[in-house]
Amino acid sequence: MRPHHTDQVLISESDIQGRLAGLVHEIVADHDSKHYVLIGILRGSFMFLADLVRMLYEHDIHPQIDFMTLSSYESGVNTLGTVTIRKDVSIDIEGADVLIIDDILDTGRTLKFAQQHLRDKGAASIKSCMLLDKPSRRQVEVDAEYTGFTIEDIFVVGYGLDYDSYYRELPYIAAVNFTDGEEG
Ligand code: IMP
Ligand code: MG
């Protein structure tokens, strides 16, 4: 059952794909690594990362790819103050140039935590690539080198982002209509 409607498309599929090409250009222009590792933060990054790596391949960039599962959200929309590791990276990243991939920079806690954790594991350099950024929500000081779109403080789903694990499959970004059916 889908408890809410998501008919308000904020960023269309073609806008996402167009912006991704731009992001890949930025990443390729900066790229200078013999040991390049992309780390996707699960679960929200899965679609973004899958599209990015296929575009990087077209530019002859062949990183190692791994994932870590971090959690700062329980189901629903409330952020907990702490981040926990549910699954750590599996490969050795000592000396690697790491690019963190995630869906959205919100309070910043998840990215801050991931950066520190990967630094502790010995990464030589760490950059971050976020599909979305909600700067008005920031609670900790953290920045990403690459950002797809900056958005207002509204809860969005699609293209990997979920509400209670729903809507990740949408090829576009949509706003969730929490008040649907409650007229006014
Ligand atoms: P942060 O640690 O507060 O920056 O939160 C990052 C995580 O919160 C993201 O990876 C998402 O899983 C989740 N999140 C934040 N904003 C949204 C949203 O608008 N829709 C869906 N998930 C969100
Ligand atoms: Mg996430």
Side-chain angles (χ1 to χ4, degrees):
M1 187 185 80
R2 291 183 175 185
H4 303 285
H5 294 286
T6 56
D7 29 41
Q8 192 197 341
V9 176
L10 283 185
I11 309 173
S12 71
E13 181 172 7
S14 66
D15 283 354
I16 291 174
Q17 295 303 322
R19 181 65 190 112
L20 252 60
L23 274 180
V24 165
H25 260 94
E26 295 173 35
I27 293 169
V28 170
D30 293 347
H31 181 261
D32 176 26
S33 176
K34 297 252 166 338
H35 185 185
Y36 198 38
V37 179
L38 261 57
I39 309 262
I41 309 299
L42 292 176
R43 293 159 286 172
S45 71
F46 79 98
M47 197 176 283
F48 182 36
L49 183 140
D51 281 346
L52 272 182
V53 294
R54 283 178 290 185
M55 290 187 182
L56 289 170
Y57 161 86
E58 300 294 338
H59 292 268
D60 205 22
I61 292 181
H62 309 286
Q64 286 183 297
I65 299 169
D66 199 357
F67 297 91
M68 59 191 296
T69 308
L70 297 180
S71 150
S72 66
Y73 262 59
E74 297 299 283
S75 69
V77 296
N78 294 314
T79 307
L80 300 176
T82 54
V83 178
T84 54
I85 301 179
R86 298 223 171 146
K87 183 216 161 280
D88 206 344
V89 289
S90 303
I91 60 173
D92 182 8
I93 59 158
E94 175 102 46
D97 299 301
V98 169
L99 182 64
I100 299 171
I101 311 289
D102 204 0
D103 52 0
I104 185 165
L105 188 49
D106 188 40
T107 67
R109 289 196 185 97
T110 304
L111 184 60
K112 186 102 184 172
F113 180 94
Q115 289 176 343
Q116 188 57 54
H117 181 69
L118 297 171
R119 201 170 292 126
D120 291 347
K121 282 182 162 284
S125 72
I126 298 172
K127 288 182 177 170
S128 308
C129 177
M130 314 296 285
L131 177 69
L132 303 175
D133 185 7
K134 278 188 203 171
S136 61
R137 291 263 306 164
R138 205 75 84 249
Q139 301 273 330
V140 297
E141 210 176 299
V142 64
D143 262 316
E145 283 74 10
Y146 310 103
T147 301
F149 301 90
T150 299
I151 62 168
E152 308 277 292
D153 180 14
I154 46 170
F155 195 81
V156 294
V157 296
Y159 200 70
L161 292 108
D162 72 304
Y163 173 73
D164 200 14
S165 292
Y166 287 103
Y167 310 125
R168 293 191 196 275
E169 77 284 7
L170 304 177
Y172 51 83
I173 301 286
V176 181
N177 183 0
F178 287 105
T179 59
D180 195 79
E182 289 173 27
E183 240 41 29

